[in-house]
Amino acid sequence: MEENEEVLKEELNKEKNKEAKKNSKKKIIITVILVLVVVFLLIGGFIFYHGNQLGTLIAEVNKIAEIEIADESGNLIENPLDTEIKTKGSYAVIEKTFKDYMSEVVTSTQNLLKTFNGDKMSNFLTIENIKEDGPDFINTKQEISVMKQTLEDFDNVVSEYFDEEKLLAKIDDKDISDYYKELYKKLAVDEESSKQLKENMEKIEESEEILEDSIEYLEKIINYLSDNKNYWQIIDDQIIFTSQEKLNEYTKMALDVPDSLQ
């Protein structure tokens, strides 16, 4: 009888051990599944975060590329650049780098348009302006000086923006990993945008040349009238020179229009 009880106990213990092992395996399996679920959630969250941030960054960069500084009538658009940073972390560093520099371009371009707006330059040599500001042309010379400085500032900013090496170097001193620096550079310049940068720079250089020639031409005439103020006067809304030599010099100068303005 006692022997049977011992045998029964051993069998029960074996069953318990088997059940314990099964439960242990279940716990291991459940733990592994939970770990995998967490890993997948983390991966999913990682992919979602970076996908979302990258998408937002690309959208903001595209907005910058399509920015309009003035409307069809030539009126300046107030605050055309949305400077709010929409991304986070290293993506935000990239976005801010783009927007900070584009803000310089927008400001410089708008200053240029304000300075050269309307018929200001063509009015310099009108009889009305000569009578009002001559013979010393203090105000006119001041306006010409402002124009020259504004054009120089614009050239410095824009030439740097359309210089691939300088544009790409904007990210080099930022505290982000090389991955994000390369991302900035890929977004900043690709084959198509590189070609577009060169074409735009050529157009800008042509426009700058016209403005520079215009300023130089007007400044030369204004300075001549100022330097020779004792040899001319306004009679019946016309400039009358008291010296034939000075008249000839003035006429030659006035007819010597730069090729870019013809």
Side-chain angles (χ1 to χ4, degrees):
M1 192 69 157
E2 290 180 2
E3 290 180 3
N4 291 336
E5 287 180 359
E6 288 297 325
V7 171
L8 183 59
K9 284 180 181 180
E10 286 181 10
E11 290 297 325
L12 288 172
N13 287 331
K14 287 181 182 179
E15 290 298 323
K16 286 181 181 180
N17 289 333
K18 288 181 181 180
E19 190 65 30
K21 288 181 180 180
K22 286 182 180 179
N23 290 335
S24 177
K25 289 181 180 179
K26 285 181 181 179
K27 287 179 181 179
I28 293 172
I29 292 171
I30 291 171
T31 301
V32 170
I33 291 173
L34 287 173
V35 170
L36 290 175
V37 168
V38 171
V39 169
F40 284 129
L41 287 174
L42 289 174
I43 292 173
F46 177 86
I47 293 173
F48 174 79
Y49 170 79
H50 286 278
N52 179 268
Q53 292 295 300
L54 181 59
T56 302
L57 176 63
I58 291 173
E60 291 301 304
V61 171
N62 287 338
K63 285 181 187 177
I64 293 172
E66 297 170 359
I67 191 172
E68 293 184 355
I69 296 174
D71 59 25
E72 294 179 356
S73 302
N75 300 314
L76 297 181
I77 299 174
E78 187 176 357
N79 301 323
L81 177 66
D82 181 5
T83 56
E84 180 185 352
I85 305 302
K86 309 292 177 60
T87 53
K88 298 177 182 178
S90 297
Y91 294 98
V93 175
I94 296 175
E95 183 185 351
K96 191 172 187 303
T97 302
F98 274 115
K99 289 187 174 181
D100 281 351
Y101 193 65
M102 193 60 197
S103 180
E104 291 181 48
V105 176
V106 169
T107 300
S108 183
T109 304
Q110 290 199 326
N111 286 340
L112 186 75
L113 295 175
K114 287 176 184 177
T115 303
F116 289 87
N117 70 331
D119 300 320
K120 184 181 291 186
M121 293 182 72
S122 60
N123 288 336
F124 286 162
L125 297 181
T126 61
I127 290 297
E128 289 76 13
N129 187 63
I130 293 174
K131 285 196 297 185
E132 182 180 337
D133 199 30
D136 295 314
F137 298 97
I138 294 174
N139 294 328
T140 302
K141 289 179 180 179
Q142 176 62 28
E143 289 192 38
I144 289 176
S145 178
V146 170
M147 286 181 171
K148 291 170 70 175
Q149 186 60 54
T150 303
L151 184 58
E152 182 179 343
D153 293 341
F154 173 80
D155 179 69
N156 290 335
V157 171
V158 175
S159 61
E160 187 170 331
Y161 178 77
F162 286 105
D163 185 311
E164 278 189 35
E165 289 186 8
K166 291 180 179 178
L167 178 59
L168 295 177
K170 287 290 177 182
I171 200 69
D172 288 343
D173 63 344
K174 301 298 186 294
D175 187 20
I176 54 177
S177 69
D178 290 341
Y179 167 81
Y180 291 100
K181 290 180 180 180
E182 286 303 313
L183 176 59
Y184 165 87
K185 292 177 180 181
K186 287 179 181 178
L187 291 174
V189 179
D190 56 20
E191 185 176 347
E192 183 178 348
S193 61
S194 177
K195 180 181 178 181
Q196 192 66 43
L197 281 173
K198 292 177 182 177
E199 291 177 355
N200 288 341
M201 193 59 210
E202 288 175 1
K203 293 177 183 177
I204 288 173
E205 287 174 347
E206 290 175 4
S207 299
E208 286 182 330
E209 181 182 358
I210 292 173
L211 290 175
E212 287 173 357
D213 288 346
S214 298
I215 292 172
E216 184 179 349
Y217 174 73
L218 292 170
E219 186 176 34
K220 188 186 298 183
I221 293 177
I222 292 297
N223 286 340
Y224 184 85
L225 290 174
S226 177
D227 293 341
N228 296 279
K229 59 184 177 182
N230 295 327
Y231 295 96
W232 63 271
Q233 56 185 309
I234 300 293
I235 300 176
D236 295 333
D237 286 342
Q238 290 186 344
I239 300 177
I240 304 298
F241 281 86
T242 58
S243 164
Q244 186 63 44
E245 180 184 356
K246 298 298 181 183
L247 173 60
N248 292 341
E249 290 175 352
Y250 177 79
T251 301
K252 181 181 178 180
M253 187 180 301
L255 293 176
D256 188 21
V257 181
D259 292 340
S260 64
L261 303 181
Q262 296 180 18

